[in-house]
């Protein structure tokens, strides 16, 4: 499965768009990439120009607000300016937070400045892709009982897993609604369940859907089935809130 990278800067008009386009061109077979801004404006024409001159496709490249992508799962969140790093804090948990700081080429509004920024970001992207190359190959889960039951020893994680078992697939926004919990908390717990092999993910459109991992061994599947069947009260209230949710993404995709 590809690792997911989100680039963030203030306007999402130059640096973060360049980074998005570069990583997709250089290592799109290993990384799924997007960008966003804390105060987005629109793509700067000169940023698009230097990308095209470098042979990098700009198809589909557009500015978007950070709120549009915060509910999604990300492996890495990379800020490209100090202002964005300070404003974002620890967003999109449990993503690894990485802070880069490149001078904004927009105030100069010179072709040479944009070309230099593109060159500097390209060099950093190449290093990032090299360093994280081995990390893209996730090892098969071992399903060691200690690790599995440690992950399930949290009330929220157990209930979330039983909810996903009951509904077959759910996205973060549905679980946020069901448990009346903030998105960072939901994403953090889902990542823990995913790391021990209990959950599988599938991207459809803007949403990441979670389902029980098909590789769960029979003994563990029996434990989850028995737990869910004998303890319906664990998800009674969250299930009621979920069923009352308007415009559910999972329902719309059926």
């Amino acid at each position: 499965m590809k690792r997911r990278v989100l680039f963030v800067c203030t306007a999402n008009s130059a640096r973060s768009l360049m980074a998005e386009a570069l990583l997709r061109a250089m290592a799109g077979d290993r990384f799924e990439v997007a960008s966003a801004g804390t105060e987005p404006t629109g793509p700067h024409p000169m940023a698009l120009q230097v990308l095209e001159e470098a042979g990098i496709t700009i198809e589909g490249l557009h500015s978007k607000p950070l709120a549009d992508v915060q509910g999604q799962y990300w492996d890495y969140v990379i800020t490209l300016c100090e202002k964005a790093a300070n404003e974002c804090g620890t967003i999109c948990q449990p993503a690894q937070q990485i802070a880069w700081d490149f001078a904004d080429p927009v105030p100069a509004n010179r072709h040479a400045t944009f070309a230099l920024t593109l060159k500097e970001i390209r060099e950093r992207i190449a290093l990032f892709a090299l360093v994280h190359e081995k990390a893209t190959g996730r090892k098969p889960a071992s399903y060691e009982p200690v690790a599995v039951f440690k992950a399930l020893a949290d009330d929220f994680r157990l209930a979330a897993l039983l909810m996903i078992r009951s509904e077959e697939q759910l996205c973060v926004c549905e679980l946020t609604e069901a448990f009346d919990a903030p998105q960072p908390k939901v994403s953090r717990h889902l990542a823990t369940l995913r790391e021990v092999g209990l959950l599988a993910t599938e991207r459809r459109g803007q949403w990441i859907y979670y389902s029980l991992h098909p590789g769960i061994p029979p003994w563990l599947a029996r434990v989850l089935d028995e737990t869910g069947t004998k303890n319906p009260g664990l998800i009674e209230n969250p299930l009621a809130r979920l069923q009352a949710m308007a415009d559910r993404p999972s329902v719309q995709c059926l």
Side-chain angles (χ1 to χ4, degrees):
M1 182 176 177
K2 294 182 181 181
R3 292 276 177 154
R4 307 192 72 235
V5 181
L6 175 65
F7 291 104
V8 181
C9 66
T10 303
N12 192 210
S13 64
R15 290 163 292 182
S16 53
L17 286 180
M18 289 179 183
E20 176 187 349
L22 284 166
L23 182 56
R24 184 177 293 120
M26 296 166 68
D29 59 327
R30 293 183 284 120
F31 296 96
E32 187 171 347
V33 57
S35 67
T38 56
E39 301 172 15
T41 54
H44 194 286
M46 214 165 287
L48 300 181
Q49 179 183 341
V50 295
L51 282 168
E52 287 190 307
E53 290 172 352
I56 307 297
T57 180
I58 61 172
E59 183 179 357
L61 211 58
H62 65 284
S63 303
K64 67 185 77 64
L66 185 59
D68 283 3
V69 296
Q70 269 190 276
Q72 302 177 30
Y73 176 88
W74 300 99
D75 294 289
Y76 307 97
V77 173
I78 303 176
T79 53
L80 286 99
C81 64
E82 185 178 0
K83 185 174 186 292
N86 291 336
E87 290 176 347
C88 294
T90 54
I91 61 168
C92 301
Q93 289 290 351
Q96 180 179 343
Q97 310 285 320
I98 301 174
W100 297 347
D101 190 15
F102 291 96
D104 187 0
V106 172
N109 200 33
R110 296 176 60 245
H111 179 275
T113 305
F114 277 87
L116 178 60
T117 301
L118 180 69
K119 175 179 178 294
E120 292 173 343
I121 294 177
R122 183 199 291 269
E123 292 171 352
R124 185 69 66 89
I125 292 287
L127 180 60
F128 171 84
L130 178 64
V131 169
H132 295 277
E133 181 174 7
K134 294 182 179 180
T136 58
R138 187 182 295 274
K139 295 181 179 179
S142 61
Y143 297 105
E144 295 179 0
V146 172
V148 168
F149 287 116
K150 184 177 180 180
L152 294 177
D154 177 270
D155 293 351
F156 185 92
R157 287 197 291 269
L158 177 59
L161 190 65
L162 293 178
M163 281 283 293
I164 293 170
R165 169 189 169 274
S166 172
E167 297 297 297
E168 296 187 357
Q169 63 173 15
L170 291 172
C171 67
V172 172
C173 70
E174 290 173 311
L175 290 164
T176 298
E177 179 77 17
F179 289 97
D180 192 23
Q183 175 269 322
K185 175 182 177 179
V186 173
S187 294
R188 183 172 66 250
H189 285 300
L190 290 176
T192 298
L193 294 171
R194 183 168 172 252
E195 286 296 327
V196 297
L198 292 171
L199 293 178
T201 58
E202 178 188 358
R203 179 177 176 81
R204 294 204 302 275
Q206 66 174 316
W207 302 110
I208 297 292
Y209 290 88
Y210 291 82
S211 58
L212 292 186
H213 198 289
I216 288 177
W219 69 265
L220 182 51
R222 289 194 297 270
V223 169
L224 295 178
D225 288 342
E226 188 76 5
T227 302
T229 301
K230 300 296 185 181
N231 300 275
L234 289 174
I235 61 172
E236 182 179 358
N237 291 333
L239 191 58
R241 283 192 290 267
L242 179 65
Q243 291 171 344
M245 179 181 180
D247 300 323
R248 283 180 57 189
S250 290
V251 173
Q252 292 175 10
C253 291
L254 293 178

